[in-house]
Short mmCIF file of all heavy atoms in Angstrom, two decimals:
data_model
loop_
_atom_site.label_atom_id
_atom_site.label_comp_id
_atom_site.label_asym_id
_atom_site.label_seq_id
_atom_site.Cartn_x
_atom_site.Cartn_y
_atom_site.Cartn_z
N PHE A 308 11.97 -1.38 14.13
CA PHE A 308 10.74 -1.48 13.36
C PHE A 308 9.62 -1.69 14.37
O PHE A 308 9.75 -2.51 15.28
CB PHE A 308 10.81 -2.65 12.38
CG PHE A 308 9.86 -2.54 11.24
CD1 PHE A 308 10.16 -1.73 10.15
CD2 PHE A 308 8.66 -3.22 11.23
CE1 PHE A 308 9.30 -1.61 9.08
CE2 PHE A 308 7.78 -3.11 10.16
CZ PHE A 308 8.11 -2.31 9.09
N PRO A 309 8.53 -0.94 14.27
CA PRO A 309 7.47 -1.07 15.28
C PRO A 309 6.82 -2.45 15.26
O PRO A 309 6.76 -3.10 14.22
CB PRO A 309 6.45 0.00 14.89
CG PRO A 309 6.84 0.49 13.55
CD PRO A 309 8.22 0.04 13.26
N ASP A 310 6.38 -2.89 16.44
CA ASP A 310 5.67 -4.16 16.55
C ASP A 310 4.29 -4.03 15.94
O ASP A 310 3.72 -2.94 15.87
CB ASP A 310 5.52 -4.58 18.02
CG ASP A 310 6.85 -4.98 18.64
OD1 ASP A 310 7.74 -5.43 17.90
OD2 ASP A 310 6.98 -4.84 19.87
N LYS A 311 3.74 -5.15 15.52
CA LYS A 311 2.39 -5.20 14.98
C LYS A 311 1.40 -4.81 16.07
O LYS A 311 1.53 -5.23 17.23
CB LYS A 311 2.10 -6.62 14.49
CG LYS A 311 0.71 -6.82 13.99
CD LYS A 311 0.48 -8.27 13.61
CE LYS A 311 -0.98 -8.48 13.33
NZ LYS A 311 -1.39 -9.85 13.45
N ILE A 312 0.40 -4.01 15.70
CA ILE A 312 -0.67 -3.65 16.63
C ILE A 312 -1.72 -4.74 16.57
O ILE A 312 -2.23 -5.04 15.49
CB ILE A 312 -1.28 -2.29 16.26
CG1 ILE A 312 -0.22 -1.19 16.37
CG2 ILE A 312 -2.48 -1.97 17.14
CD1 ILE A 312 -0.69 0.14 15.83
N PRO A 313 -2.06 -5.36 17.70
CA PRO A 313 -3.08 -6.41 17.67
C PRO A 313 -4.45 -5.80 17.34
O PRO A 313 -4.81 -4.75 17.85
CB PRO A 313 -3.05 -6.99 19.07
CG PRO A 313 -2.35 -5.99 19.92
CD PRO A 313 -1.52 -5.13 19.02
#
Side-chain angles (χ1 to χ4, degrees):
F308 201 80
D310 290 333
K311 176 184 171 202
I312 297 172

